[in-house]
Amino acid sequence: MPEKDMSLEHLEELYRIEEEYWWHLSKRRIVTDLLEKYVPPPAVLLEVGVGAGGNLLHFQGMGYTAKGYDILPEAVQYCRKRGLADVEEHNINQPWPVEPESVDVVIMLDVLEHIEDPGIVLSHVHRALKPGGCAVLTVPACKWLMGPWDEMLGHQRRYSGKGLKRDLGDAGFSACQISGWNVISFFPAVVIRSLRKLRPKPHGGEFPKVSKLVNSLLLTVNKFERLMIRKNIKLIFGLSIVGVFKK
């Protein structure tokens, strides 16, 4: 399946499930805590890679002046359906159509791993942020887990904490806080993805379906991760990494 078609399929699924699926909600709540801690509203927030707009709508509801970019025109259309006006179609590898030092916080949730040359995009982040402004990022963790799932989703890499710090440091940022998250999925993912490497089979890249009960249980478990991250207790592993970096 062509990459664009897969992107559109993933986007449509995201629009359907991101307001209730545990992974999306857990990530949004962790990022919300970090925003309130490091760059509370009112402030100018720019999200790049807005997807179907659920996160940006939430940030706007928190009191941020919310702006967004996405490479897919369909993503902009989904944002329009949600009532988000200040969203543009833009390739974030190209210079950003924003005034230098005009943004308080840039959000990149599971975006950087898709970028062939992250240094270029991070230079645009640095240019857009005010002095003392922050970038809040999530990326997939564990480079050794790279496999068919990542390739299906268009990932160029998975990250270690050191690798993420290095890339952000090279772009002129210092780490305020960095932690693993999604610990509960770590061991099942290691088993399942290792087996898939041994016996590859077609996979659509969709999020695993769970019952309402399991979804609720996973959200409950994530509350403990969220509490630890809120208290700046670093989780040493997890299927993903979340970080806050200051210009």
Side-chain angles (χ1 to χ4, degrees):
M1 182 180 293
E3 183 177 347
K4 182 164 179 147
D5 291 344
M6 177 53 64
S7 297
L8 296 180
E9 182 181 301
H10 185 68
L11 185 64
E12 181 182 353
E13 181 193 27
L14 183 62
Y15 185 74
R16 291 196 316 268
I17 70 172
E18 68 174 328
E19 296 309 311
E20 57 186 30
Y21 193 76
W22 73 273
W23 187 81
H24 302 294
L25 288 177
S26 296
K27 178 169 62 173
R28 184 181 301 161
R29 290 168 181 173
I30 288 171
V31 169
T32 294
D33 289 343
L34 293 172
L35 283 172
E36 290 177 338
K37 180 178 179 179
Y38 290 101
V39 196
V44 178
L45 178 151
L46 174 61
E47 183 180 12
V48 295
V50 296
N55 290 324
L56 192 62
L57 184 65
H58 172 76
F59 301 144
Q60 181 175 274
M62 291 174 65
Y64 291 97
T65 300
K67 309 169 184 268
Y69 300 146
D70 203 285
I71 196 170
L72 293 174
E74 292 82 3
V76 177
Q77 292 168 15
Y78 279 119
C79 288
R80 295 281 187 268
K81 287 182 182 181
R82 296 186 187 271
L84 292 162
D86 201 353
V87 180
E88 299 179 44
E89 179 187 349
H90 185 68
N91 182 342
I92 62 171
N93 290 287
Q94 303 302 317
W96 293 5
V98 63
E99 289 296 318
E101 299 187 351
S102 63
V103 176
D104 295 291
V105 57
V106 172
I107 306 290
M108 299 180 68
L109 305 183
D110 297 289
V111 170
L112 200 61
E113 66 271 17
H114 294 270
I115 306 301
E116 186 173 350
D117 186 347
I120 292 175
V121 171
L122 291 173
S123 71
H124 299 326
V125 177
H126 195 274
R127 177 181 176 275
L129 283 171
K130 298 175 183 178
C134 290
V136 181
L137 302 92
T138 61
V139 292
C142 306
K143 294 188 288 185
W144 49 270
L145 268 182
M146 189 76 181
W149 169 274
D150 299 277
E151 293 166 9
M152 187 66 66
L153 293 178
H155 293 176
Q156 301 289 321
R157 70 194 69 79
R158 300 181 72 92
Y159 274 92
S160 64
K162 288 182 179 179
L164 187 60
K165 284 183 180 180
R166 182 185 61 247
D167 281 358
L168 272 292
D170 289 347
F173 291 91
S174 59
C176 297
Q177 185 172 347
I178 188 168
S179 176
W181 85 272
N182 195 8
V183 175
I184 193 171
S185 296
F186 179 79
F187 294 108
V190 169
V191 172
I192 292 169
R193 297 184 193 186
S194 297
L195 289 174
R196 282 184 179 155
K197 284 183 179 181
L198 295 174
R199 299 181 64 182
K201 62 179 181 178
H203 190 277
E206 70 277 356
F207 290 95
K209 292 179 174 59
V210 297
S211 68
K212 288 185 178 180
L213 175 60
V214 171
N215 195 69
S216 179
L217 288 172
L218 290 168
L219 282 169
T220 300
V221 170
N222 181 259
K223 287 181 181 179
F224 295 99
E225 291 188 31
R226 181 182 172 190
L227 177 63
M228 294 180 73
I229 292 171
R230 190 186 303 156
K231 292 180 177 294
N232 206 3
I233 299 172
K234 182 178 180 180
L235 302 176
I236 60 173
F237 69 94
L239 204 56
S240 298
I241 296 171
V242 60
V244 181
F245 298 85
K246 180 178 285 190
K247 175 177 175 178

